[in-house]
Amino acid sequence: MGNVTVIGAQWGDEGKGKIVDWLASRADVVVRFQGGHNAGHTLVVGDQTYKLSLLPSGIVRGTPSVIGNGVVLDPWALKAEIERIAAQGVEVTPDVLMIADNCPLILPIHRDLDALREDASGAGKIGTTRRGIGPAYEDKVGRRAIRVCDLAKLDDVAPLLDRLCAHHDALRAGFNEPPIDRERLLSDLREIAGFVLPYARPVWRDLDQALQQGRKMLFEGAQGVLLDVDHGTYPFVTSSNTVAGTTGSGAGMGPRAAGFVLGIVKAYTTRVGSGPFPTEQENEVGQRLGERGHEFGTVTGRSRRCGWFDAVLVRQAAAVSGVTGIALTKLDVLDGFETIRICTGYRLDGEIIDYLPAHAADQARVEPVYEEIEGWPGSTQGARSWAELPARAIKYVRRIEELIRCPVALVSTSPQRDDTILVRDPFAG
Ligand code: GDP
Ligand code: IMO
Ligand code: MG
């Protein structure tokens, strides 16, 4: 079919933004289908660095971009991001950005609730991005959401606001917070509506038409499979399905639209926020990975936890998400390590298992079983062909393919757009 779906195959921040930006030159349209501005993608093009959260990563190239109904949209964050990127010379007009009119909104009350809950959770907190993502998805499923299309009919929004406010006021009372200031919320919505509405459309129709015309679509996932609300390290997850199967429901298309599923995989492992992390290295190895990889969150600035590559997790992520091939990123960060470890299984209660158990307590208890391989002399940084890679770096890549049972389609060797090795073109199927 020629479509490509990009998803993170670990805990997010695998380098999806860089790969989507690179692939966008071959795509006719880029579509976000879940998540919100909890995502943070850094794109480096020459001496310019772009930071995107909500806007699809094809926007920098001017590729037509769609925010699908599966996203939760903070309209004020959208405006700020569009203004920020305009200051860098990227014009985001309704000709290049289309927003699903059935997309639910993140409101200030969602951000409040996210923070109140995190602050009240002490050691048990999830470590969310505090952007209101979870509460907004709860209201969508609870049938209390205000959606983009409501912005065009704010005179009729009172019954919806009644439902929404009754629910939130009860929750807020539990935190000793005052009830929602409805007048203020409504006036804020009236003010932002004029900004958002020109972008709002029944985007499923545009996508359906694009499909009929054989246009190439690039679906851009946010977060990663291990943060998926069903398949991730629950409850330390985000509130959406991040697997490739979400493309259809989150964009308004059928399940076959996903096409080639490209799992983005970092050559080691990182995680932001709380939760189990079997191969985490709270030592000089972790510190070295963090420093070499500049592992600081784009959204919150928090340092990312770092550890060795976990083949068990990536194999599982590839299976539950139907990954066709992977893009292996940040290989250059491993340059200079004398030995490199790969986790190939877990020890749990004296037995070796080859998957991550569902229970958080077991996930926290598993002990990684490692295989050690020799590092490589020289540098992979900036390599744009296999021929430029040291033989032992190629061996590492091949071993990963074998362990995760998935072929490599792309290798990334620096943050720069063009420092990318194409092994197999995902758009060629
Ligand atoms: P995303 O959330 O998956 O889009 O990833 P982020 O942008 O949050 O984090 C990935 C970081 O690694 C960004 O700062 C990228 O510029 C950077 N990056 C991407 N690919 C590579 C690579 O191959 N090598 C290095 N050294 N950095 C990379
Ligand atoms: P990108 O698209 C890494 C994590 C948060 C927290 C958990 C829940 O840049 O890969 P949320 O605010 O979603 O309710 O937080 O999910 N998280 C991410 N971690 N990359 C992301 O996005 C993330 N988006 C959310 O740190 O642990
Ligand atoms: Mg990120």
Side-chain angles (χ1 to χ4, degrees), residues 115-146:
L116 286 167
R117 282 181 179 155
E118 284 287 280
D119 289 340
S121 298
K125 72 175 174 204
I126 289 167
T128 72
T129 59
R130 296 175 175 250
R131 298 292 192 267
I133 304 292
Y137 274 118
E138 288 170 33
D139 281 346
K140 167 183 167 171
V141 178
R143 295 157 291 187
R144 297 179 291 271
I146 310 287

Tab-separated table of all heavy atoms in Angstrom, residues 115-146:
chain	number	residue	atom	x	y	z
A	115	ALA	N	-1.630	17.573	37.929
A	115	ALA	CA	-0.643	18.021	38.921
A	115	ALA	C	-1.110	17.689	40.339
A	115	ALA	O	-0.315	17.237	41.170
A	115	ALA	CB	-0.408	19.519	38.764
A	116	LEU	N	-2.407	17.904	40.618
A	116	LEU	CA	-2.920	17.621	41.970
A	116	LEU	C	-2.713	16.155	42.318
A	116	LEU	O	-2.270	15.804	43.410
A	116	LEU	CB	-4.422	17.946	42.053
A	116	LEU	CG	-4.804	19.429	42.088
A	116	LEU	CD1	-6.303	19.596	41.838
A	116	LEU	CD2	-4.407	20.048	43.427
A	117	ARG	N	-3.003	15.288	41.359
A	117	ARG	CA	-2.859	13.851	41.614
A	117	ARG	C	-1.403	13.462	41.802
A	117	ARG	O	-1.067	12.694	42.695
A	117	ARG	CB	-3.431	13.061	40.438
A	117	ARG	CG	-4.920	12.993	40.441
A	117	ARG	CD	-5.325	12.170	39.245
A	117	ARG	NE	-6.764	12.012	39.166
A	117	ARG	CZ	-7.394	11.775	38.022
A	117	ARG	NH1	-6.720	11.690	36.889
A	117	ARG	NH2	-8.699	11.609	38.016
A	118	GLU	N	-0.556	13.984	40.942
A	118	GLU	CA	0.868	13.645	41.070
A	118	GLU	C	1.415	14.124	42.415
A	118	GLU	O	2.110	13.381	43.100
A	118	GLU	CB	1.664	14.278	39.917
A	118	GLU	CG	1.507	13.562	38.595
A	118	GLU	CD	2.242	12.233	38.542
A	118	GLU	OE1	3.459	12.221	38.334
A	118	GLU	OE2	1.573	11.199	38.739
A	119	ASP	N	1.045	15.362	42.790
A	119	ASP	CA	1.553	15.906	44.051
A	119	ASP	C	1.051	15.107	45.253
A	119	ASP	O	1.719	15.020	46.271
A	119	ASP	CB	1.152	17.385	44.200
A	119	ASP	CG	1.933	18.264	43.223
A	119	ASP	OD1	2.989	17.818	42.732
A	119	ASP	OD2	1.475	19.385	42.943
A	120	ALA	N	-0.148	14.535	45.106
A	120	ALA	CA	-0.731	13.796	46.232
A	120	ALA	C	-0.244	12.344	46.283
A	120	ALA	O	-0.535	11.634	47.241
A	120	ALA	CB	-2.261	13.830	46.121
A	121	SER	N	0.496	11.908	45.257
A	121	SER	CA	0.821	10.479	45.175
A	121	SER	C	2.128	10.094	45.844
A	121	SER	O	2.440	8.917	45.954
A	121	SER	CB	0.880	10.030	43.710
A	121	SER	OG	-0.373	10.206	43.123
A	122	GLY	N	2.903	11.069	46.256
A	122	GLY	CA	4.163	10.774	46.937
A	122	GLY	C	5.025	9.832	46.113
A	122	GLY	O	5.199	10.007	44.910
A	123	ALA	N	5.530	8.787	46.788
A	123	ALA	CA	6.461	7.870	46.127
A	123	ALA	C	5.784	7.082	45.005
A	123	ALA	O	6.448	6.570	44.111
A	123	ALA	CB	7.055	6.915	47.147
A	124	GLY	N	4.447	6.981	45.045
A	124	GLY	CA	3.734	6.189	44.042
A	124	GLY	C	3.420	6.952	42.774
A	124	GLY	O	2.702	6.473	41.896
A	125	LYS	N	3.957	8.166	42.654
A	125	LYS	CA	3.557	8.963	41.490
A	125	LYS	C	4.104	8.361	40.189
A	125	LYS	O	5.117	7.669	40.184
A	125	LYS	CB	3.965	10.415	41.654
A	125	LYS	CG	5.419	10.699	41.537
A	125	LYS	CD	5.619	12.196	41.604
A	125	LYS	CE	7.090	12.506	41.628
A	125	LYS	NZ	7.394	13.784	42.232
A	126	ILE	N	3.385	8.690	39.109
A	126	ILE	CA	3.731	8.120	37.803
A	126	ILE	C	4.872	8.908	37.163
A	126	ILE	O	5.644	8.371	36.382
A	126	ILE	CB	2.464	8.099	36.907
A	126	ILE	CG1	1.509	7.026	37.445
A	126	ILE	CG2	2.800	7.815	35.439
A	126	ILE	CD1	0.119	7.080	36.894
A	127	GLY	N	4.986	10.169	37.573
A	127	GLY	CA	6.008	10.997	36.919
A	127	GLY	C	5.501	11.459	35.568
A	127	GLY	O	6.228	11.419	34.578
A	128	THR	N	4.235	11.877	35.509
A	128	THR	CA	3.656	12.309	34.230
A	128	THR	C	4.310	13.621	33.793
A	128	THR	O	5.029	14.255	34.566
A	128	THR	CB	2.131	12.572	34.319
A	128	THR	OG1	1.925	13.777	35.067
A	128	THR	CG2	1.398	11.416	34.979
A	129	THR	N	3.995	14.030	32.579
A	129	THR	CA	4.510	15.306	32.084
A	129	THR	C	3.669	16.480	32.611
A	129	THR	O	3.952	17.622	32.281
A	129	THR	CB	4.489	15.324	30.548
A	129	THR	OG1	3.135	15.121	30.122
A	129	THR	CG2	5.363	14.230	29.966
A	130	ARG	N	2.614	16.167	33.378
A	130	ARG	CA	1.729	17.194	33.982
A	130	ARG	C	1.055	18.064	32.925
A	130	ARG	O	0.783	19.236	33.153
A	130	ARG	CB	2.514	18.081	34.959
A	130	ARG	CG	3.034	17.291	36.151
A	130	ARG	CD	3.909	18.151	37.037
A	130	ARG	NE	4.285	17.385	38.221
A	130	ARG	CZ	3.828	17.629	39.443
A	130	ARG	NH1	3.025	18.636	39.680
A	130	ARG	NH2	4.208	16.884	40.452
A	131	ARG	N	0.833	17.498	31.767
A	131	ARG	CA	0.205	18.258	30.691
A	131	ARG	C	-1.310	18.034	30.638
A	131	ARG	O	-1.975	18.527	29.738
A	131	ARG	CB	0.797	17.860	29.337
A	131	ARG	CG	2.285	18.140	29.178
A	131	ARG	CD	2.537	19.641	29.143
A	131	ARG	NE	3.890	19.949	28.711
A	131	ARG	CZ	4.921	20.133	29.537
A	131	ARG	NH1	4.759	20.017	30.838
A	131	ARG	NH2	6.112	20.441	29.067
A	132	GLY	N	-1.827	17.198	31.552
A	132	GLY	CA	-3.272	16.953	31.558
A	132	GLY	C	-3.704	15.832	30.629
A	132	GLY	O	-4.905	15.672	30.345
A	133	ILE	N	-2.748	15.055	30.164
A	133	ILE	CA	-3.046	14.015	29.171
A	133	ILE	C	-4.037	12.974	29.731
A	133	ILE	O	-5.073	12.694	29.115
A	133	ILE	CB	-1.737	13.299	28.732
A	133	ILE	CG1	-0.709	14.304	28.207
A	133	ILE	CG2	-2.023	12.168	27.750
A	133	ILE	CD1	-1.030	14.996	26.921
A	134	GLY	N	-3.700	12.405	30.883
A	134	GLY	CA	-4.540	11.352	31.465
A	134	GLY	C	-5.958	11.848	31.734
A	134	GLY	O	-6.938	11.254	31.259
A	135	PRO	N	-6.109	12.961	32.483
A	135	PRO	CA	-7.465	13.460	32.746
A	135	PRO	C	-8.258	13.771	31.469
A	135	PRO	O	-9.470	13.566	31.423
A	135	PRO	CB	-7.212	14.729	33.572
A	135	PRO	CG	-5.914	14.436	34.285
A	135	PRO	CD	-5.091	13.650	33.292
A	136	ALA	N	-7.599	14.243	30.418
A	136	ALA	CA	-8.325	14.549	29.171
A	136	ALA	C	-8.829	13.264	28.515
A	136	ALA	O	-9.970	13.213	28.033
A	136	ALA	CB	-7.435	15.325	28.206
A	137	TYR	N	-7.989	12.223	28.488
A	137	TYR	CA	-8.459	10.951	27.926
A	137	TYR	C	-9.580	10.352	28.780
A	137	TYR	O	-10.512	9.749	28.253
A	137	TYR	CB	-7.305	9.947	27.797
A	137	TYR	CG	-6.518	10.077	26.514
A	137	TYR	CD1	-5.172	10.392	26.532
A	137	TYR	CD2	-7.126	9.869	25.271
A	137	TYR	CE1	-4.434	10.496	25.351
A	137	TYR	CE2	-6.397	9.973	24.092
A	137	TYR	CZ	-5.054	10.289	24.138
A	137	TYR	OH	-4.344	10.387	22.966
A	138	GLU	N	-9.493	10.524	30.100
A	138	GLU	CA	-10.565	10.011	30.962
A	138	GLU	C	-11.889	10.674	30.599
A	138	GLU	O	-12.928	10.019	30.524
A	138	GLU	CB	-10.259	10.302	32.434
A	138	GLU	CG	-9.148	9.464	33.020
A	138	GLU	CD	-8.736	9.976	34.395
A	138	GLU	OE1	-9.606	10.483	35.137
A	138	GLU	OE2	-7.543	9.880	34.717
A	139	ASP	N	-11.849	11.975	30.373
A	139	ASP	CA	-13.086	12.688	30.048
A	139	ASP	C	-13.602	12.316	28.664
A	139	ASP	O	-14.816	12.295	28.430
A	139	ASP	CB	-12.891	14.204	30.158
A	139	ASP	CG	-12.940	14.668	31.613
A	139	ASP	OD1	-13.388	13.880	32.471
A	139	ASP	OD2	-12.525	15.809	31.896
A	140	LYS	N	-12.689	11.995	27.759
A	140	LYS	CA	-13.139	11.529	26.432
A	140	LYS	C	-13.919	10.222	26.590
A	140	LYS	O	-15.051	10.090	26.114
A	140	LYS	CB	-11.918	11.313	25.533
A	140	LYS	CG	-12.226	10.553	24.255
A	140	LYS	CD	-10.964	10.302	23.452
A	140	LYS	CE	-11.208	9.278	22.354
A	140	LYS	NZ	-10.079	9.164	21.429
A	141	VAL	N	-13.318	9.267	27.274
A	141	VAL	CA	-13.972	7.965	27.431
A	141	VAL	C	-15.210	8.093	28.323
A	141	VAL	O	-16.188	7.363	28.160
A	141	VAL	CB	-12.964	6.935	28.001
A	141	VAL	CG1	-13.614	5.599	28.231
A	141	VAL	CG2	-11.792	6.777	27.038
A	142	GLY	N	-15.164	9.049	29.257
A	142	GLY	CA	-16.309	9.285	30.143
A	142	GLY	C	-17.422	10.093	29.485
A	142	GLY	O	-18.411	10.432	30.134
A	143	ARG	N	-17.224	10.453	28.221
A	143	ARG	CA	-18.225	11.180	27.433
A	143	ARG	C	-18.561	12.553	28.004
A	143	ARG	O	-19.691	13.002	28.014
A	143	ARG	CB	-19.494	10.323	27.261
A	143	ARG	CG	-19.196	9.088	26.444
A	143	ARG	CD	-20.151	7.976	26.665
A	143	ARG	NE	-20.014	7.422	27.997
A	143	ARG	CZ	-20.642	6.343	28.418
A	143	ARG	NH1	-21.464	5.704	27.637
A	143	ARG	NH2	-20.463	5.905	29.639
A	144	ARG	N	-17.492	13.189	28.522
A	144	ARG	CA	-17.656	14.534	29.087
A	144	ARG	C	-16.769	15.544	28.370
A	144	ARG	O	-16.649	16.676	28.821
A	144	ARG	CB	-17.191	14.539	30.557
A	144	ARG	CG	-17.942	13.689	31.512
A	144	ARG	CD	-17.340	13.794	32.906
A	144	ARG	NE	-16.030	13.183	32.972
A	144	ARG	CZ	-15.807	11.897	33.261
A	144	ARG	NH1	-16.819	11.103	33.534
A	144	ARG	NH2	-14.587	11.424	33.293
A	145	ALA	N	-16.083	15.129	27.302
A	145	ALA	CA	-15.067	16.003	26.703
A	145	ALA	C	-15.688	17.154	25.914
A	145	ALA	O	-16.764	17.028	25.332
A	145	ALA	CB	-14.167	15.185	25.793
A	146	ILE	N	-14.989	18.262	25.908
A	146	ILE	CA	-15.280	19.349	24.963
A	146	ILE	C	-14.354	19.080	23.773
A	146	ILE	O	-13.155	18.845	23.956
A	146	ILE	CB	-14.934	20.733	25.560
A	146	ILE	CG1	-15.549	20.921	26.947
A	146	ILE	CG2	-15.326	21.848	24.599
A	146	ILE	CD1	-17.029	21.144	26.977
